[in-house]
Amino acid sequence: MKKQTIKEILQDYKKVLHHDITVYGWVRSFRANRFIALNDGSTINNLQIVVDFENFDKEIISKISTASSLKIVGEVVESQGAGQTVEIVAKKIIILGDNFTEELQNTILQPKKHSLEKLREQAHLRFRTNVFGAVFRIRHALSFAVHSFFNQNQFFYINTPVITGADAEGAGEMFGVTNFDLNAIPRTEEGEIDFAQDFFGKKTNLTVSGQLEGETAAMGLGRIYTFGPTFRAENSNTTRHLAEFWMIEPEVAFNNLEDNIDLAEDFLKYVIQYVLDHCKDDLEFLDKRLEEEQKTKPEKERAKEGLIEKLQNVIAKRFKRVSYTEAIEILLNSKENKKGKFQYPIEEWGTDLQSEHERYLVEKHFESPVVLFDYPKEIKAFYMKLNDDNKTVAAMDVLFPGIGEIIGGSEREARLDVLKQKMADMHVDEHELWWYLDTRKFGSVPHAGFGLGLERLVLFVTGMTNIRDVIPFPRTPKNAEF
Ligand code: ATP
Ligand code: MN
């Protein structure tokens, strides 16, 4: 018979009631030498196993402890106790793997409360905890929903290169890729590094964005999206930045800025609704966890709404759409700015917004997700469409409560001459991007797209506060363990 997960057993228990079944899992707890809480990762809920120890070899019973892996054959019965509908009365117990009890003492598998920092140090074991089980099941559901949304809307999934020969993506500092012997790097006569002798015959990097390649695909396939690993060598040690993260980048031919904002809003609402519909148990667990955590905070700092409520509210309302110019007005006139409460005071039109400003707009002023658009051209990338005012570009950022920027995108500059001028102004090498310029030569069309960092989305949906806790093995400055 096909193996059943604990999730299936608990969901369809009527089918197996009073039958003998086989279950597999890890012991979460073993109470009174009688009750095992068994978990196999398929759900946050444990399956209760009742052990009548008189029927079993004492040695087996003595070996069962937290973290033991077991195969159990037993009868499914209605539960006597509260807290579960069914339980298994064990008939046969097989210990699958040894438990090194002494070493277990030093791990996070010890059943007591561990800090998230401690759990991070043992990231290879944290999948066994309730919190990380919930986070990674939700991360999966979000990823699945991303594909599902785009597939339903006739987008094609395109894989853009991880190793890029384009040095000019302009989205951030890059990690170089080389197979030179670092102790003997070949030099040219002028003393420069001779990349002609490197593996690819040129300087290559890890991608910071698949957009430019994505645009070329959209110019033939119409609606495309990428969803892949993305790398940025910025030394920003924040709770919202990773050196390696997963970015989703749709690109759509014939879309303008407004279409792009509509797409971003529909997309975010779809994937959040998907998780509300499919991850109820995990969300409820995280909601309760957050509620407990709130109680330890001073009243002023507590969140106004619970996790699930927060997600429902984001879906219910239309996002506020505000131009950069309006946003600057609001910030300039804010009490916070006048009283010098911002770390970076807003002085004039043209300054880049920091996350404190974004969060002020979202959390204090509008109390709603906000889409800012039409940014000053100087603070945005070269490929964004120049507006008729000659001062702003058709950029858009989606700002979320607790996160700040979750999406950044734009309508692209489709006019070859304007694009070339912008590249020259911003010192982007035209020759390097010859293939990109080709897209503006043969049937150029208006098009638009955006980038969403999956981890920022998972942060928002799970209510976790550090981005290192929503990716299995985080890569950050000075940290690439595992
Ligand atoms: P920020 O201003 O927050 O550093 P950005 O403007 O540099 O972000 P974009 O180049 O616009 O980011 O990238 C698009 C999206 O990718 C962002 O909106 C964000 O969701 C995500 N993102 C960007 N950089 C990172 C990072 N270092 N770690 C995780 N996600 C990121
Ligand atoms: Mn951005």
Side-chain angles (χ1 to χ4, degrees):
M1 200 182 79
K2 191 173 149 277
K3 287 197 181 73
Q4 276 182 304
T5 62
I6 289 177
K7 181 180 176 177
E8 283 173 320
I9 293 166
L10 292 174
Q11 243 167 25
D12 303 333
Y13 68 90
K14 284 190 181 128
K15 281 191 206 155
V16 284
L17 200 56
H18 306 306
H19 289 79
D20 280 359
I21 61 167
T22 307
V23 292
Y24 302 82
W26 293 276
V27 175
R28 281 293 171 84
S29 66
F30 188 21
R31 243 180 339 114
N33 262 1
R34 186 165 166 81
F35 300 106
I36 298 175
L38 196 74
N39 190 284
D40 68 352
S42 60
T43 160
I44 193 142
N45 301 310
N46 300 324
L47 182 60
Q48 174 151 290
I49 313 291
V50 184
V51 183
D52 197 345
F53 61 86
E54 275 159 20
N55 299 339
F56 292 92
D57 189 339
K58 276 202 191 61
E59 204 181 315
I60 288 203
I61 300 290
S62 73
K63 273 188 168 173
I64 299 173
S65 68
T66 302
S68 297
S69 49
L70 305 180
K71 173 181 176 179
I72 289 164
V73 181
E75 186 186 341
V76 184
V77 299
E78 271 142 350
S79 179
Q80 309 294 308
Q84 63 273 320
T85 350
V86 286
E87 58 195 21
I88 309 271
V89 178
K91 293 184 174 168
K92 206 159 106 188
I93 301 178
I94 295 160
I95 298 182
L96 296 173
D98 278 335
N99 238 357
F100 293 77
T101 332
E102 242 165 72
E103 289 174 41
L104 190 71
Q105 310 301 318
N106 303 322
T107 72
I108 57 162
L109 298 175
Q110 269 300 89
K112 60 168 206 175
K113 204 160 166 44
H114 303 283
S115 70
L116 289 171
E117 288 76 17
K118 182 98 188 164
L119 288 158
R120 224 174 279 148
E121 286 166 17
Q122 297 179 29
H124 60 303
L125 298 177
R126 65 181 178 169
F127 297 104
R128 290 262 192 108
T129 64
N130 279 332
V131 174
F132 287 92
V135 166
F136 292 124
R137 278 186 296 269
I138 289 174
R139 184 182 164 109
H140 160 79
L142 283 167
S143 305
F144 187 83
V146 165
H147 288 296
S148 159
F149 173 85
F150 286 124
N151 189 54
Q152 280 177 27
N153 288 286
Q154 301 169 71
F155 283 67
F156 299 106
Y157 176 40
I158 293 290
N159 301 113
T160 48
V162 170
I163 299 173
T164 175
D167 198 9
E169 285 165 340
E173 290 297 309
M174 304 179 102
F175 290 102
V177 175
T178 179
N179 77 336
F180 277 153
D181 171 356
L182 296 185
N183 291 312
I185 297 172
R187 301 263 166 189
T188 61
E189 278 171 15
E190 293 79 37
E192 311 260 315
I193 294 173
D194 188 8
F195 286 107
Q197 293 188 48
D198 204 351
F199 188 90
F200 295 107
K202 64 182 295 194
K203 193 173 183 311
T204 48
N205 296 295
L206 291 179
T207 184
V208 290
S209 159
Q211 180 201 318
L212 301 189
E213 290 93 345
E215 279 185 56
T216 68
M219 288 302 108
L221 288 158
R223 299 181 191 177
I224 66 96
Y225 69 105
T226 70
F227 185 175
T230 309
F231 306 86
R232 298 199 181 171
E234 292 146 307
N235 206 350
S236 41
N237 235 323
T238 75
T239 53
R240 297 171 306 111
H241 289 91
L242 290 162
E244 177 181 292
F245 63 101
W246 287 69
M247 184 139 69
I248 297 136
E249 296 179 275
E251 192 68 40
V252 189
F254 314 109
N255 264 11
N256 64 19
L257 183 67
E258 200 186 339
D259 301 326
N260 203 36
I261 298 174
D262 290 342
L263 177 68
E265 183 165 348
D266 289 349
F267 167 67
L268 284 169
K269 288 180 173 174
Y270 177 93
V271 296
I272 294 170
Q273 184 66 56
Y274 186 91
V275 171
L276 282 168
D277 292 343
H278 292 86
C279 306
K280 205 161 163 281
D281 293 345
D282 289 323
L283 282 176
E284 278 170 3
F285 170 80
L286 292 170
D287 203 342
K288 276 208 198 82
R289 174 184 172 273
L290 228 56
E291 199 181 307
E292 292 301 314
E293 200 184 272
Q294 293 288 321
K295 287 182 191 155
T296 67
K297 287 186 179 170
E299 198 128 358
K300 266 173 82 183
E301 286 170 33
R302 288 185 201 164
K304 291 193 204 90
E305 44 192 18
L307 179 65
I308 294 176
E309 209 182 340
K310 175 186 87 173
L311 300 179
Q312 285 165 342
N313 285 341
V314 160
I315 290 176
K317 281 188 286 189
R318 196 175 134 91
F319 297 175
K320 282 271 176 311
R321 301 179 183 205
V322 183
S323 75
Y324 167 89
T325 305
E326 275 176 79
I328 286 290
E329 281 303 311
I330 292 167
L331 289 166
L332 274 172
N333 292 319
S334 67
K335 260 196 248 145
E336 273 71 4
N337 199 51
K338 287 180 175 161
K339 288 190 179 162
K341 292 242 170 87
F342 288 135
Q343 197 186 341
Y344 299 90
I346 297 281
E347 272 153 18
E348 55 182 11
W349 191 94
T351 44
D352 205 353
L353 299 183
Q354 303 294 327
S355 108
E356 57 176 343
H357 308 129
E358 297 173 342
R359 293 186 57 177
Y360 170 83
L361 292 169
V362 171
E363 290 160 28
K364 295 253 167 68
H365 190 83
F366 289 109
E367 296 190 73
S368 154
V370 173
V371 188
L372 290 188
F373 59 90
D374 288 350
Y375 281 75
K377 63 177 176 186
E378 287 80 11
I379 59 172
K380 289 288 180 186
F382 73 91
Y383 49 72
M384 298 190 180
K385 183 192 154 202
L386 185 63
N387 289 326
D388 292 343
D389 61 12
N390 255 324
K391 276 168 55 186
T392 61
V393 287
M396 53 162 267
D397 276 4
V398 181
L399 314 178
F400 259 28
I403 306 283
E405 179 185 332
I406 193 162
I407 281 183
S410 68
E411 182 177 339
R412 319 304 188 188
E413 183 51 75
R415 297 161 294 184
L416 183 66
D417 52 339
V418 183
L419 181 62
K420 278 185 163 181
Q421 186 56 52
K422 288 192 73 199
M423 288 170 82
D425 293 346
M426 298 177 101
H427 310 291
V428 179
D429 188 357
E430 252 190 48
H431 302 289
E432 185 99 35
L433 289 180
W434 63 274
W435 51 272
Y436 183 67
L437 288 172
D438 266 5
T439 58
R440 273 57 170 182
K441 290 180 185 167
F442 316 115
S444 182
V445 298
H447 61 288
F450 59 78
L452 164 77
L454 175 68
E455 289 75 16
R456 297 234 178 130
L457 179 64
V458 183
L459 263 186
F460 179 74
V461 172
T462 58
M464 301 298 284
T465 48
N466 192 319
I467 201 161
R468 293 164 180 80
D469 295 332
V470 296
I471 187 165
F473 299 106
R475 265 76 185 103
T476 49
K478 301 282 176 289
N479 172 43
E481 192 64 47
F482 310 105

